[in-house]
Amino acid sequence: KAFIPTFKIHDAQVTNDREWYITLFSILSVIILLVYFVNIVVEYFLLKESTHVYYLVGLIGGLMYVLSYHSVIDLWTNFRYTKVIGASLNQVYCADFSYILNRLSIMVICFGLINLATTFLKTKVKIPTWHKLLKFYLIIFTIANMVSLLITLFTPFPCDLYFITTSNIMLIVAILLVIISGILCMKMDRRLAGLFLMAHILPFIFIILTSIYVEINTYITFGHVMMPYLTILSVPVGLNTLLTYRVIYVKDTLHENNILSQKMEMDNERIKHEKELEFLEKENFKNQLEVETLSRENLELKVDLQNRQLLASAMQIQKKDEIIHNISQEVSKISKKDHSNDSTNKIIRSLLQNHETAESNWGSFKEYFEKIHPDFFNNLKKDHPGLSASDIRLSAYLKLNLTNKEIATLQNIKPESVKRAKIRLKQKINLS
């Protein structure tokens, strides 16, 4: 069956104008992308954030796309590689170096875009299931486009002629998945996710519109010239916005962290001072206990010394009484043998009898004892009113921790009598 070829004739001026616009926009796009590229490299070395790496990958992809679109790179280089992969009534499809670079640029842009989203939004922590989906989709997208490109280049089958539409659709789906990631992260971090969506909404819209426009219009128009460049240039604009707010966000975060750090330092200092104060209080309490212990020991030593002094005084009195008693006996013996000095003997016996008796000695001892142990006798009589005078005297001696022999000496009795007296006293006051 016969057919009539279709031809479309362009005015030479229109063609020249279009090529002039292509060259102009290509040069401007390359300059702008390189400026942003250098800016991000500098910020990466300053901040050392992994997010900047994927910014750079995205810009590299954009730069590849600009240089390959309309085969601009072929005009600036002498590299030539062309393979005819298809033809129609009005167009010949060729896989040259610009074509390969263009196809690779799409994969690089998608790689940078998805990794930028996962890193910036921290999807691995916030939405781990969605994070795995994004990574899996990136692998599928890269493998599918790479396989299609390799089949087209190294086999007779022009796979890309049929896959290019699917590739554009997959790119749009990738963008939608990234947008959904930002929306899902809004619940965890509204500020960070909102910043990401705001910075990328313009590039996303341009990428989607450009993909749809190129698929619908097969003829090269002014829209074909303008829209891809606008799309690529919208990426650094969005990234610059994101970086600007990112720096502000980082500064605010650092400021908050500094405030928090200062507060923590103050809390640590306060805790340190409280611990030091607590330690000093413990040391003070310990010193007070030591002082009280020393005071108590000193008091006990003082009481013990006074008790010993009291015992020594009592023993001296007892010894004096014993000497006087012996003198009295000797005088009596002398007066029985020699009656010539009866008057003198009577005077001596009278003087000896006028000396303090044991009861008066006990009175002196009791008075001195009460100075050392006040209220001892009152409390003893109050608790045990049935005690005799001898019981009270024995209790005083026991208070001084005197031995049976010492008590016997003071009372002019035998130690066995002291033991029996102590047993009777314990029974009266119910001591075991």
Side-chain angles (χ1 to χ4, degrees), residues 350-412:
S350 177
L351 291 172
L352 293 173
Q353 289 175 354
N354 289 333
H355 191 270
E356 292 180 329
T357 61
E359 285 298 326
S360 64
N361 291 338
W362 163 250
S364 300
F365 176 85
K366 181 180 179 183
E367 182 180 355
Y368 189 42
F369 181 90
E370 286 182 331
K371 291 180 180 179
I372 302 174
H373 303 285
D375 298 328
F376 175 79
F377 294 113
N378 292 333
N379 292 333
L380 187 63
K381 291 178 182 180
K382 180 179 178 181
D383 295 337
H384 307 285
L387 295 179
S388 63
S390 60
D391 293 331
I392 292 174
R393 183 180 301 178
L394 178 59
S395 299
Y397 292 149
L398 294 176
K399 176 67 176 177
L400 298 178
N401 293 321
L402 301 182
T403 63
N404 292 342
K405 185 177 179 180
E406 291 172 337
I407 296 174
T409 301
L410 290 173
Q411 291 188 327
N412 289 322

Side-chain angles (χ1 to χ4, degrees), residues 53-298:
V53 175
Y54 299 111
Y55 293 160
L56 294 174
V57 172
L59 288 179
I60 291 172
L63 192 61
M64 291 168 59
Y65 187 87
V66 169
L67 294 174
S68 62
Y69 194 65
H70 294 302
S71 301
V72 173
I73 195 172
D74 291 336
L75 300 177
W76 299 347
T77 64
N78 294 321
F79 184 78
R80 292 292 182 267
Y81 168 80
T82 303
K83 178 184 178 181
V84 177
I85 58 175
S88 64
L89 294 178
N90 58 359
Q91 193 169 0
V92 176
Y93 300 94
C94 297
D96 55 6
F97 181 72
S98 296
Y99 174 84
I100 298 172
L101 192 64
N102 186 270
R103 297 290 290 130
L104 292 175
S105 68
I106 300 299
M107 288 181 266
V108 173
I109 290 173
C110 186
F111 176 84
L113 182 64
I114 291 181
N115 281 286
L116 171 64
T118 56
T119 306
F120 189 89
L121 296 173
K122 300 177 182 179
T123 56
K124 188 175 182 179
V125 177
K126 297 177 181 178
I127 44 176
T129 303
W130 195 261
H131 175 81
K132 293 178 181 178
L133 176 62
L134 288 173
K135 292 293 185 179
F136 179 75
Y137 187 83
L138 176 60
I139 294 173
I140 295 299
F141 180 88
T142 304
I143 292 175
N145 280 272
M146 184 60 71
V147 169
S148 175
L149 178 61
L150 293 175
I151 290 174
T152 301
L153 294 177
F154 297 105
T155 67
F157 181 67
C159 185
D160 265 355
L161 290 179
Y162 308 98
F163 185 74
I164 191 68
T165 301
T166 304
S167 178
N168 288 332
I169 294 174
M170 292 181 69
L171 181 61
I172 293 174
V173 172
I175 294 172
L176 293 176
L177 291 176
V178 170
I179 293 174
I180 295 173
S181 300
I183 295 173
L184 292 176
C185 289
M186 289 284 286
K187 297 179 180 179
M188 293 79 171
D189 194 336
R190 181 180 298 274
R191 182 178 180 181
L192 196 64
L195 175 62
F196 179 82
L197 292 175
M198 180 182 69
H200 288 85
I201 192 66
L202 183 63
F204 290 163
I205 292 174
F206 269 111
I207 291 173
I208 293 173
L209 292 178
T210 301
S211 300
I212 296 174
Y213 185 85
V214 170
E215 288 297 326
I216 293 176
N217 293 285
T218 57
Y219 294 104
I220 297 177
T221 62
F222 188 74
H224 279 78
V225 176
M226 291 292 296
M227 290 192 67
Y229 291 115
L230 292 175
T231 301
I232 295 301
L233 292 178
S234 68
V235 173
V237 172
L239 290 180
N240 184 62
T241 305
L242 183 62
L243 279 174
T244 302
Y245 283 99
R246 175 68 171 174
V247 170
I248 296 174
Y249 178 80
V250 170
K251 287 183 179 179
D252 291 343
T253 305
L254 289 175
H255 180 66
E256 293 174 359
N257 290 337
N258 288 334
I259 294 176
L260 181 61
S261 177
Q262 292 175 0
K263 184 179 178 182
M264 291 178 65
E265 289 180 359
M266 293 175 62
D267 291 340
N268 290 334
E269 287 294 324
R270 179 179 56 80
I271 293 173
K272 181 181 178 181
H273 292 320
E274 288 178 353
K275 288 184 177 179
E276 291 177 352
L277 180 61
E278 183 180 358
F279 176 76
L280 292 175
E281 289 177 350
K282 287 182 178 179
E283 287 294 318
N284 184 43
F285 181 71
K286 182 179 178 181
N287 293 333
Q288 288 179 354
L289 288 178
E290 291 178 355
V291 171
E292 290 178 0
T293 302
L294 292 174
S295 299
R296 185 167 59 252
E297 292 176 353
N298 184 43

Side-chain angles (χ1 to χ4, degrees), residues 17-45:
D17 291 342
R18 186 176 63 203
E19 291 179 354
W20 184 85
Y21 284 121
I22 291 173
T23 303
L24 176 63
F25 282 115
S26 299
I27 294 173
L28 290 176
S29 299
V30 170
I31 293 173
I32 293 173
L33 290 174
L34 288 175
V35 170
Y36 278 107
F37 186 88
V38 173
N39 181 45
I40 293 175
V41 169
V42 172
E43 290 190 357
Y44 171 74
F45 283 105

